[in-house]
Amino acid sequence: MAKSILITGGARSGKSSLAERMTLGLHPTATYIATAQAFDAEMAERIAHHQARRGPEWTTHAEPRDLVGALEATDGTRPRLVDCLTVWLSNLLLAGEDWQGAAERLVAALPRQAAPVVLVTNEVGAGIVPENRLAREFRDAAGFLNQAVAGVSDEVWLCVSGCPVRLKPPQGEEPTP
């Protein structure tokens, strides 16, 4: 079993850049599993910004919905960075797919990986209760997904204002090899 690391935090908290540094700290080359889709110009610009930040040491594997398939297809010697789980969840919800089944498959697949996996997600439950049903469903689903993935991850980090804080294992305990 390879190490799995979950990095969570709010929007623009530094999660992705932390995840990129941690992933390349595991091996000089890595695979970036991108879940975002460019449905509009603003999202295309965000994706381009992320791509421009990465150097030649990265290979990108775009997969908006079949995350377990992407992990299986890229498993080997290089670590993978999944960015991000909440965008993946949005893709599943908007496509009318069974997000709970997909989450269960992901949680079952992570411990079977031969190469390390670093996963980025958003902490969305710290705000107010959304006013519409879809937003509430997303917030609740993200909370359940994050808890399930954190449960099987060797390390969990919270990024706040660019400052990472290790949540699992607690400070003072060494991560599981």
Side-chain angles (χ1 to χ4, degrees), residues 43-66:
M43 191 61 176
E45 188 176 315
R46 285 175 180 263
I47 291 170
H49 174 75
H50 268 249
Q51 290 170 336
R53 187 174 64 219
R54 298 190 302 269
E57 58 273 37
W58 292 96
T59 300
T60 301
H61 183 102
E63 181 48 64
R65 296 200 313 261
D66 184 13

Side-chain angles (χ1 to χ4, degrees), residues 123-140:
E123 184 55 49
V124 299
I128 61 171
V129 175
E131 70 176 47
N132 69 71
R133 186 194 62 76
L134 180 59
R136 288 189 299 275
E137 181 182 357
F138 171 76
R139 183 225 30 210
D140 293 349

Side-chain angles (χ1 to χ4, degrees), residues 17-175:
S17 57
L18 172 63
E20 290 166 7
R21 289 192 310 273
M22 290 179 108
T23 304
L24 290 178
L26 298 169
H27 193 273
T29 59
T31 299
Y32 191 104
I33 300 175
T35 62
Q37 300 177 85
F39 290 120
D40 58 37
E42 187 268 340
M43 191 61 176
E45 188 176 315
R46 285 175 180 263
I47 291 170
H49 174 75
H50 268 249
Q51 290 170 336
R53 187 174 64 219
R54 298 190 302 269
E57 58 273 37
W58 292 96
T59 300
T60 301
H61 183 102
E63 181 48 64
R65 296 200 313 261
D66 184 13
L67 186 50
V68 172
L71 288 170
E72 290 170 353
T74 60
D75 202 7
T77 58
R78 297 168 22 144
R80 284 80 41 85
L81 184 145
V82 175
D83 198 354
C84 89
L85 290 180
T86 43
V87 171
W88 172 66
L89 177 63
S90 293
N91 295 339
L92 295 174
L93 285 167
L94 293 173
E97 293 188 25
D98 175 17
W99 70 266
Q100 291 164 319
E104 289 170 5
R105 289 188 295 279
L106 174 63
V107 167
L110 287 172
R112 295 191 312 255
Q113 299 300 297
V117 181
V118 178
L119 304 112
V120 174
T121 193
N122 287 283
E123 184 55 49
V124 299
I128 61 171
V129 175
E131 70 176 47
N132 69 71
R133 186 194 62 76
L134 180 59
R136 288 189 299 275
E137 181 182 357
F138 171 76
R139 183 225 30 210
D140 293 349
F144 292 127
L145 174 64
N146 289 347
Q147 288 183 57
V149 173
V152 298
S153 294
D154 299 298
E155 295 179 33
V156 178
W157 292 79
L158 172 65
C159 200
V160 179
S161 300
C163 299
V165 178
R166 189 172 75 188
L167 303 175
K168 177 185 176 183
Q171 296 294 333
E173 292 182 28
E174 287 305 309

